[in-house]
Amino acid sequence: MKDTLLTYIDEDGKKAAKKLWAKYSGICDLIAPTSLGWRDAFGGMLIIIGHGSTMVKMDRHTGLHNMIGNCGSCFIVLAACEVGETHISIGELQPIAQGLANLRPNAIVWGTTRDLPQQAVSDGTCFYKSPLFNWLQPANDHFPGLWKQFRKQSDIEAVMSMMPNLNFNSL
């Protein structure tokens, strides 16, 4: 088994994942999302590719967590790319990455801070082969500040992060 698993959540994600896999097939396995659940012994990098809007529609809090199932990866990348869509607040994916990290307390989850072109995913310019491990990982070289890491929040951090969503002025 290789140290990077590539999977997808929609057809465009599948196309981008196939192209990325063709470039890095020596260190990556491309698997269907339905095959993740039985990878409980996997300890490498899991990269999930697809539209951010699809990730949002999957169920903001548990959709990706349920898709990953028992996959043992402690390193998860949400490569949310958009094609022909403009999102004014692409930060909508940051709560999904944080929520996934909260549900998977032993994991580090990378999410994008802004729009990620599908071409950057499929040609691999937003990733690089780690010099320490035999896997792909997020790279900020071509897109500075693109990736943000999320870890499990403490209970107080989770509650405080929801405070801006509460509109006390409307009470």
Side-chain angles (χ1 to χ4, degrees):
M1 182 187 309
K2 298 187 178 130
D3 292 333
T4 303
L5 289 180
L6 300 175
T7 194
Y8 47 87
I9 58 170
D10 52 34
E11 282 304 309
D12 285 335
K14 185 176 182 177
K15 290 175 193 172
K18 282 183 175 182
K19 288 179 183 176
L20 185 62
W21 175 75
K23 184 174 183 174
Y24 290 105
S25 61
I27 60 172
C28 294
D29 280 330
L30 176 62
I31 66 167
T34 54
S35 299
L36 283 175
W38 59 270
R39 299 283 181 136
D40 57 333
F42 179 71
M45 185 72 67
L46 171 62
I47 300 174
I48 302 170
I49 302 171
H51 288 296
S53 54
T54 306
M55 289 183 190
V56 170
K57 291 174 188 169
M58 286 180 75
D59 182 351
R60 186 174 291 272
H61 299 291
T62 58
L64 289 173
H65 174 68
N66 291 339
M67 184 186 92
I68 294 169
N70 293 328
C71 182
S73 178
C74 291
F75 309 99
I76 303 169
V77 179
L78 304 181
C81 47
E82 299 297 339
V83 179
E85 295 183 31
T86 303
H87 287 270
I88 295 170
S89 60
I90 196 66
E92 66 188 345
L93 298 177
Q94 292 182 40
I96 292 173
Q98 183 62 69
L100 185 58
N102 287 344
L103 292 169
R104 303 184 88 78
N106 297 325
I108 299 171
V109 179
W110 282 266
T112 53
T113 59
R114 62 181 184 278
D115 192 29
L116 174 61
Q118 185 179 10
Q119 187 65 34
V121 176
S122 60
D123 67 16
T125 56
C126 62
F127 298 106
Y128 70 98
K129 184 184 177 302
S130 170
L132 301 175
F133 305 100
N134 194 31
W135 67 30
L136 285 181
Q137 64 187 57
N140 283 324
D141 298 354
H142 297 287
F143 303 94
L146 174 65
W147 298 102
K148 182 176 178 182
Q149 277 188 11
F150 297 89
R151 297 174 190 258
K152 181 172 179 12
Q153 293 174 310
S154 68
D155 290 342
I156 191 71
E157 288 172 322
V159 169
M160 295 307 289
S161 70
M162 291 186 280
M163 293 301 281
N165 297 329
L166 301 174
N167 188 356
F168 290 115
N169 296 329
S170 66
L171 297 176

